Amino acid sequence: MAETEELPPREAMDYDVVIVGAGPAGLSAAIRLKQISPDLSVVVIEKGSEPGAHILSGAVIDPIGLDRLLPDWRDDPDQPLKTQVHDDQFYLLTQKSGFRIPNALMPKLMNNHGNFVGSLGNVVRWLAAKAEGLGVEIYPGFAGAELLFGENGEILGVATGDMGVGRDGQPKDSFTRGMELRGKYTLIAEGARGSLAKQIIAKFGLSQGREPQKFGIGFKELWRIDKAKHKAGLVQHSFGWPLASDTGGGSFLYHFDEDYVSIGFVVHLNYSNPTLSPFDEFQRFKTHPQIAPTLEGGTRISYGARALTEGGWQSVPKLTFPGGALLGCAAGFMNVPRIKGSHNAVLSGMLAAEHVAKALEEGRAHDEVASYDAAWRASDIGRDLKPVRNVKPLWSKFGTYIGAPLYGFDMWTNELLGFSLFGTLKHGKPDHACLKPLKDVQRLSYPKLASKLVFDKLSSVFVSNTNHEEDQPVHLKLADPSIPIEKNLPLYGEPARLYCPAGVYEVVYAEEATKSDPRFVINAQNCVHCKTCDIKDPAQNINWVPPEGGGGPNYPNM
């Protein structure tokens, strides 16, 4: 790109509060700000083509957040959550069978009765309409590309990305300069591993004294099934097969509306075998005799993948910095055993809004709203996360078959006694440091499965409705272009080929038979914005930055 001084200046717009990300956290913050003070000017920008376009979640939704934010939401004829959980099932899967864990053995916090099954994307679309009805400005198709800093290093707002830039970095005829959105406070609600949140956490040292953030990759497919097989409100979770004991993860299968099921699979990104393919493990899972009969005869409607924050209580960074705060999954508020985060996203948006509104009322701006960070651990968010804080470390250290009974016991002691016999365990290494060299692992292979329930990556990307303007700079940046071939390929087999759920990364040879002259190819057009490469690359050589606004997946009912 030409130097900034050679470009026309950006136009600027001033607001009381700028919010990056029109997900449940960002929209809840916007709504709560307007509820407290209707005269506040609030803007939300969203990189997806519309609110909800990039939202991917199971989703069984704990309504605690919606009940607080919009107490009459159940009476709204347009509200998108119509199906309540009526049957809650947990299974341990072996290769050929499944063993149901009695509900009586499950800690009460794992009980899903009273929760709702549906599309979080549609909840977000509904929240966006509520926010706009209160006077919030929402601009979809605009990615937060750059942080704006004041003279003392405080955040003044964000700039959206330039549009109409060619692959060579030069402006095209359609070039349009990005906008500067300046706010007295800027709230970052980008979701897991957001590009601006990543910069802010590093710049202000927000993770100092915390454990490394941990992540998983979550896959989801939406199916329409035979109505005779459909059981609205049935929620199934499982762990075990097809993952080995030393690889954490699990699955979900949710029935909702008249004939929809959401089926999904999560693989914890601290896995050690570089030949593991999370996408292929998901496809294998669907062939299990406990799962396949539900899907047989059905139609897959959509597919998506997204990184999840899994570090929990001990990995939440400091939430505030001069000029703003982190919300929702950008802060790491997902509850791992419950596979839920949207309720905490809503609650964190509300909590941040309440503290920011008070600061604005006092005439403050661009300072640190430290009271928000001080408040969350004693709030419902903290009460949700603290009892499960040792689930991830115990699972990671002892594997599925020993770790699961241990973390189940730990959740029970937290629930009954109010404390953990383990204290608060550490996570240890970040996920990118967990891979073992090829020479130290048994290589995994994934032969083609003879099943109509199984798909490849490219056909899956097609039904995610992913699209990017092809003539734009590649948004997956390599700090050192030599590392994939010279280091990652001989040491790990270049694991980006496998951990990416969308076929973005390939190693291409001049002669396949002789494996001569390997080249690392990035098919950025396929990217579903999951951020797994940014997290798992062992050299931390891949930096995900926002592509041109509006690009990426367009998830329906996800």
Side-chain angles (χ1 to χ4, degrees):
M1 187 69 184
E3 293 296 323
T4 302
E5 56 265 30
E6 298 176 1
L7 295 172
R10 297 185 181 108
E11 291 186 26
M13 299 176 69
D14 293 310
Y15 295 88
D16 290 309
V17 181
V18 174
I19 300 174
V20 181
L27 291 172
S28 297
I31 289 169
R32 188 69 185 125
L33 283 164
K34 283 293 201 175
Q35 288 173 337
I36 295 169
S37 184
D39 292 334
L40 289 177
S41 58
V42 180
V43 65
V44 181
I45 59 171
E46 164 58 42
K47 67 182 175 66
S49 60
E50 64 170 348
H54 291 177
I55 294 292
L56 184 75
S57 181
V60 171
I61 297 173
D62 183 336
I64 182 175
L66 291 177
D67 289 341
R68 299 270 177 84
L69 182 67
L70 298 164
D72 298 329
W73 70 271
R74 287 174 171 82
D75 300 324
D76 186 334
D78 296 324
Q79 67 89 1
L81 296 176
K82 309 294 186 184
T83 307
Q84 271 197 285
V85 176
H86 76 81
D87 192 5
D88 211 2
Q89 300 177 3
F90 298 86
Y91 289 90
L92 171 63
L93 299 185
T94 63
Q95 186 169 357
K96 299 293 185 182
S97 187
F99 301 94
R100 184 173 176 182
I101 300 171
N103 286 31
L105 296 180
M106 303 298 296
K108 290 181 181 178
L109 62 87
M110 297 293 287
N111 186 341
N112 282 299
H113 286 268
N115 295 334
F116 287 80
V117 189
S119 162
L120 185 61
N122 287 341
V123 171
V124 162
R125 292 178 179 97
W126 177 76
L127 285 173
K130 295 295 183 186
E132 287 181 320
L134 292 171
V136 175
E137 295 180 33
I138 301 177
Y139 296 120
F142 290 90
E146 182 183 334
L147 295 164
L148 305 176
F149 293 96
E151 293 182 359
N152 298 314
E154 73 277 20
I155 301 294
L156 299 180
V158 298
T160 64
D162 295 337
M163 309 282 276
V165 179
R167 180 66 66 102
D168 60 1
Q170 297 303 309
K172 299 185 292 187
D173 291 342
S174 60
F175 177 77
T176 304
R177 194 80 166 100
M179 290 280 296
E180 288 190 0
L181 301 172
R182 297 176 172 269
K184 296 173 183 175
Y185 293 103
T186 302
L187 305 182
I188 305 298
E190 299 170 298
R193 194 67 166 202
S195 54
L196 297 183
K198 179 181 169 184
Q199 295 174 49
I200 288 168
I201 290 169
K203 177 177 176 56
F204 294 105
L206 303 184
S207 61
Q208 290 179 8
R210 271 70 167 179
E211 283 295 289
Q213 186 57 267
K214 307 294 284 184
F215 296 90
I217 178 172
F219 299 88
K220 178 181 175 180
E221 291 177 352
L222 180 66
W223 285 66
R224 177 173 280 123
I225 65 167
D226 184 344
K227 289 187 178 182
K229 299 178 181 180
H230 192 262
K231 301 174 182 177
L234 171 61
V235 166
Q236 292 177 287
H237 292 96
S238 74
F239 60 100
W241 191 88
L243 298 176
S245 174
D246 63 352
T247 303
S251 77
F252 59 83
L253 182 63
Y254 304 150
H255 296 238
F256 67 104
D257 289 354
E258 293 185 358
D259 56 1
Y260 282 128
V261 294
S262 295
I263 182 166
F265 197 74
V266 176
V267 178
H268 299 176
L269 285 176
N270 60 355
Y271 67 82
S272 61
N273 190 329
T275 67
L276 184 142
S277 168
F279 175 88
D280 288 293
E281 297 292 352
F282 174 38
Q283 300 304 313
R284 290 175 69 202
F285 161 72
K286 289 185 293 178
T287 68
H288 191 275
Q290 191 82 23
I291 304 302
T294 299
L295 302 179
E296 287 168 351
T299 302
R300 185 177 72 153
I301 297 171
S302 191
Y303 160 87
R306 186 69 173 92
L308 317 170
T309 53
E310 295 188 339
W313 175 267
Q314 53 270 64
S315 296
V316 174
K318 184 181 178 184
L319 301 181
T320 54
F321 48 88
L326 303 175
L327 317 179
C329 284
F333 285 144
M334 196 189 89
N335 183 310
V336 170
R338 298 183 74 195
I339 325 181
K340 290 180 181 62
S342 61
H343 62 300
N344 285 335
V346 172
L347 291 172
S348 70
M350 293 178 65
L351 188 66
E354 288 160 4
H355 287 269
V356 166
K358 187 173 187 298
L360 290 169
E361 184 182 350
E362 295 169 353
R364 295 161 52 189
H366 305 129
D367 63 342
E368 187 170 334
V369 187
S371 57
Y372 164 54
D373 182 65
W376 80 265
R377 292 186 189 269
S379 75
D380 282 314
I381 304 169
R383 285 188 285 274
D384 186 59
L385 295 183
K386 188 174 184 181
V388 302
R389 66 193 181 279
N390 291 325
V391 169
K392 176 78 174 184
L394 288 168
W395 202 340
S396 299
K397 183 173 182 179
F398 295 104
T400 297
Y401 299 109
I402 296 175
L406 284 174
Y407 70 64
F409 170 76
D410 188 60
M411 283 193 285
W412 269 115
T413 57
N414 272 280
E415 194 166 286
L416 296 175
L417 304 177
F419 65 89
S420 169
L421 298 175
F422 296 103
T424 299
L425 298 175
K426 296 181 180 296
H427 290 303
K429 295 185 289 187
D431 293 334
H432 72 264
C434 293
L435 284 180
K436 295 179 180 178
L438 285 172
K439 65 182 180 62
D440 295 334
V441 302
Q442 182 175 349
R443 299 193 186 198
L444 302 173
S445 62
Y446 297 93
K448 186 175 177 60
L449 298 172
S451 171
K452 293 182 179 179
L453 309 179
V454 170
F455 304 92
D456 61 19
K457 287 183 180 179
L458 294 185
S459 65
S460 298
V461 171
F462 179 78
V463 297
S464 72
N465 303 303
T466 294
N467 187 56
H468 296 86
E469 169 61 46
E470 291 194 43
D471 186 17
Q472 66 172 300
V474 173
H475 66 279
L476 302 153
K477 308 292 187 182
L478 300 181
D480 183 345
S482 71
I483 283 178
I485 298 302
E486 294 183 9
K487 181 177 179 181
N488 285 353
L489 184 61
L491 195 58
Y492 303 108
E494 185 40 81
R497 299 176 303 116
L498 297 173
Y499 59 62
C500 173
V504 170
Y505 302 102
E506 294 181 280
V507 175
V508 177
Y509 299 93
E511 292 288 340
E512 184 66 32
T514 61
K515 303 296 184 187
S516 62
D517 299 322
R519 292 183 299 113
F520 190 62
V521 176
I522 300 176
N523 304 303
Q525 172 75 0
N526 292 359
C527 179
V528 295
H529 298 200
C530 73
K531 316 292 179 66
T532 304
C533 56
D534 196 293
I535 296 162
K536 188 61 175 174
D537 180 67
Q540 289 293 273
N541 188 48
I542 301 174
N543 185 36
W544 191 100
V545 300
E548 192 168 288
N554 283 280
Y555 294 135
N557 302 321
M558 295 281 270

